[in-house]
Amino acid sequence: MVRSMVTEIEAKVIEAKKAAITLASVSTDIKDRALEEMANALDINRQAILSANMRDLEVAEKLQRKGELSQAMVDRLKISDNKIDGMIAGIRDVIKLEDPAGRTLSALELDNGLELYQVSCPIGLIGVIFESRPDVVPQIMSLCLKSGNSTIFKGGSEALNSNRTIFDLLVEAIERSEGVPKGAFQLMETREEVMDVLALDAYIDLLIPRGSNAFVKFIKENTKIPVLGHADGVCHVYVDDEADLAKAYTICFDAKVQYAAVCNAMETLLIHEKVAERFLPKMAQMLESAGVELRCDKGSFAILEHIDFIENLVHAVEEDWSTEYNDLILSIKLVSSIEEAIEHINTYGSHHTDGIVTENQKKKKKFSDLIDSSSVMINASTRFADGFRYGKGAEVGISTNKIHARGPVGMEGLMIYKYVLLGNGEKVADYVGPSARNFTHRKLDKLLSDVMMEK
């Protein structure tokens, strides 16, 4: 029984791997037509999507009441008309993006008639393993299709109906567009399939996990496949002593409250002690009105403990500084300098997204230079760290890695490159020994696609 399941999974993966070879060479026009079909399918079938999501939500909310599923997971699971609008907009933004496949990145003459081209190409077969968020399916499928990558999706059981409905609608739309190979996109649904997917390093070229800290850590620790992503989203905002406090109130409120259950929400607020007495009471009142629990260090607690309207106030403990709450909880700490703020962020943060509020130009530069994070915000909310907001159409995820791709990752994170050498019978033996020919290594202003058409 187990063996037949593994064989079935392998068959799906192998089919997608083979389709990836053909998909890599599909023209931009064909891909864009398929993307438009995908967007139309979501628009026309809104009620089917919402009905499927309602079935998932009924089960999820029961599990949440039993303590078996977090509120953050339930929030991420919810689909609304607005969310469907966002899915559609994301797909149509991908249509507008330049096709990244087959672009000449560099051209070099090695010798007369011997030319080397570095050309962008898809990674191949992408594995996407995710919890809750059904909107991951159209986001990543659209980016993978446009970039020429096949994709294996494995969603969580809590979103089973939503994922299946959206996936089927999108694949049917793609198959109506002649020229896209069948089998390029696959969906896996059982819990057992996760471990099987993690073991298929012979076929899957890159894994993108989307979910909780524990989930992403589990993926990273149990596969040989390269993983693009981040485990934690411990994001900070530092309010400097030279901050415009009017800006600080709106930035900090948005960073925490606009949507608390996401990885780019602020989890720790750092405040320069010189402005704390002026800034913190009003900021705390705003957060209190939104239901935020405040976990304060000694200095901030002392400022707030005698204020009548502040009720959700507790003492912070050491682990708060490195905790991603994904909830209406915020840790607060006073610092004596920008240097202390930077040190705290680089020590306790997750290198995801961190911001400063200041009017001092030198401090803006110092913060951006020294903060070791994938996104640094100057006088703006951390919530802007998002592929759609960064103009990428959508995102495959946010990476805190320092190789290949970093920050909100769009199609560039799904691309790699190859070298193509055009020659005319040249051999290495002519370039070694006493009478060796010399390499010219001259940069060329040519595109490989144009050269190949000429030949």
Side-chain angles (χ1 to χ4, degrees):
M1 181 71 178
V2 173
R3 182 58 205 164
S4 64
M5 181 180 291
V6 172
T7 301
E8 182 181 344
I9 292 165
E10 287 178 344
K12 284 185 175 182
V13 172
I14 291 169
E15 182 182 11
K17 183 71 171 181
K18 289 180 178 177
I21 297 170
T22 303
L23 187 59
S25 62
V26 171
S27 72
T28 305
D29 287 346
I30 290 173
K31 292 187 286 190
D32 284 348
R33 282 198 296 272
L35 287 164
E36 185 58 37
E37 288 286 347
M38 288 167 59
N40 291 336
L42 294 181
D43 197 17
I44 294 167
N45 294 282
R46 287 171 182 265
Q47 193 53 52
I49 296 168
L50 293 172
S51 296
N53 185 243
M54 188 60 67
R55 294 197 297 275
D56 289 330
L57 281 173
E58 287 173 2
V59 176
E61 287 168 353
K62 289 178 184 177
L63 293 174
Q64 193 272 330
R65 287 193 290 271
K66 293 179 182 178
E68 297 177 19
L69 200 66
S70 70
Q71 185 59 51
M73 290 277 280
V74 176
D75 291 343
R76 290 170 177 171
L77 176 59
K78 291 177 183 176
I79 298 176
S80 62
D81 261 317
N82 285 341
K83 270 201 173 180
I84 295 174
D85 287 340
M87 296 178 199
I88 294 167
I91 294 172
R92 288 188 169 140
D93 278 347
V94 171
I95 294 173
K96 298 173 188 175
L97 296 175
E98 180 184 357
D99 191 334
R103 292 191 297 115
T104 299
L105 305 177
S106 67
L108 188 70
E109 179 192 82
L110 303 188
D111 196 2
N112 184 33
L114 187 62
E115 298 176 353
L116 179 66
Y117 294 84
Q118 183 187 29
V119 184
S120 63
C121 60
I123 287 175
L125 177 55
I126 310 296
V128 181
I129 305 178
F130 60 103
E131 293 178 314
S132 277
R133 303 182 176 100
D135 54 337
V136 164
V137 178
Q139 281 179 2
I140 295 186
M141 190 182 292
S142 60
L143 289 169
C144 285
L145 174 58
K146 184 71 177 255
S147 59
N149 289 280
S150 288
T151 316
I152 297 286
F153 291 94
K154 172 63 186 80
S157 59
E158 69 284 343
L160 181 67
N161 295 295
S162 305
N163 291 338
R164 167 53 67 185
T165 299
I166 293 171
F167 179 85
D168 285 348
L169 287 170
L170 295 178
V171 168
E172 288 168 9
I174 290 171
E175 290 181 351
R176 287 196 294 271
S177 303
E178 187 177 350
V180 180
K182 291 187 177 182
F185 301 99
Q186 303 280 351
L187 179 66
M188 299 183 180
E189 297 176 316
T190 68
R191 184 180 297 275
E192 292 77 10
E193 287 173 328
V194 173
M195 293 308 299
D196 295 325
V197 168
L198 297 183
L200 295 174
D201 53 288
Y203 306 108
I204 300 173
D205 298 295
L206 180 69
L207 274 180
I208 302 173
R210 299 278 293 268
S212 66
N213 302 353
F215 174 75
V216 177
K217 286 177 181 175
F218 176 84
I219 298 298
K220 288 185 173 183
E221 291 169 1
N222 287 276
T223 187
K224 295 179 182 178
I225 304 168
V227 177
L228 185 150
H230 68 281
D232 301 305
V234 183
C235 303
H236 303 74
V237 175
Y238 164 56
V239 178
D240 183 51
D241 60 327
E242 297 183 74
D244 179 330
L245 297 188
K247 293 178 184 176
Y249 292 129
T250 56
I251 289 167
C252 295
F253 189 82
D254 185 83
K256 180 70 257 182
V257 175
Q258 195 272 333
Y259 190 14
V262 285
C263 60
N264 58 14
M266 174 179 65
E267 306 292 20
T268 299
L269 172 59
L270 302 175
I271 308 167
H272 196 291
E273 58 191 18
K274 287 183 180 179
V275 296
E277 293 277 2
R278 285 187 290 134
F279 173 72
L280 189 52
K282 180 179 177 180
M283 186 75 256
Q285 185 178 20
M286 292 171 64
L287 294 167
E288 172 86 358
S289 67
V292 179
E293 177 186 309
L294 307 178
R295 299 187 180 181
C296 299
D297 73 338
K298 184 177 179 180
S300 57
F301 193 93
I303 293 173
L304 298 176
E305 64 178 327
H306 301 300
I307 299 177
D308 292 339
F309 56 76
I310 305 298
E311 296 179 358
N312 293 330
L313 185 68
V314 297
H315 287 283
V317 296
E318 179 67 19
E319 69 181 58
D320 282 310
W321 309 128
S322 54
T323 297
E324 181 181 14
Y325 303 114
N326 285 137
D327 203 349
L328 290 172
I329 303 171
L330 178 68
S331 56
I332 302 175
K333 180 180 175 64
L334 305 189
V335 294
S336 61
S337 65
I338 187 174
E339 289 80 12
E340 185 181 350
I342 291 169
E343 177 67 21
H344 180 96
I345 293 169
N346 286 338
T347 300
Y348 293 99
S350 58
H351 313 292
H352 189 297
T353 302
D354 299 288
I356 184 174
V357 185
T358 187
E359 296 302 303
N360 184 295
Q361 292 300 121
K362 289 183 179 179
K363 288 182 180 178
K364 291 177 185 178
K365 184 177 188 306
K366 184 170 191 172
F367 192 86
S368 64
D369 286 347
L370 297 181
I371 289 297
D372 185 24
S373 299
S374 64
S375 285
V376 177
M377 306 310 198
I378 311 296
N379 291 334
S381 171
T382 58
R383 289 282 290 115
F384 281 105
D386 172 82
F388 176 71
R389 297 183 186 110
Y390 277 14
K392 297 174 181 291
E395 69 179 30
V396 298
I398 293 182
S399 172
T400 53
N401 297 347
K402 289 192 176 181
I403 56 173
H404 176 53
R406 196 179 191 206
V409 179
M411 283 193 295
E412 77 283 353
L414 301 173
M415 304 304 295
I416 193 62
Y417 54 82
K418 65 174 73 172
Y419 289 99
V420 178
L421 183 63
L422 299 182
N424 191 33
E426 289 82 1
K427 60 184 186 297
V428 169
D430 292 335
Y431 295 86
V432 297
S435 58
R437 292 176 60 92
N438 293 320
F439 289 107
T440 59
H441 288 161
R442 181 173 63 90
K443 289 185 179 180
L444 300 173
D445 186 18
K446 291 183 178 182
L447 301 179
L448 178 62
S449 55
D450 292 342
V451 175
M452 296 294 275
M453 291 297 292
E454 291 172 3
K455 292 183 179 298

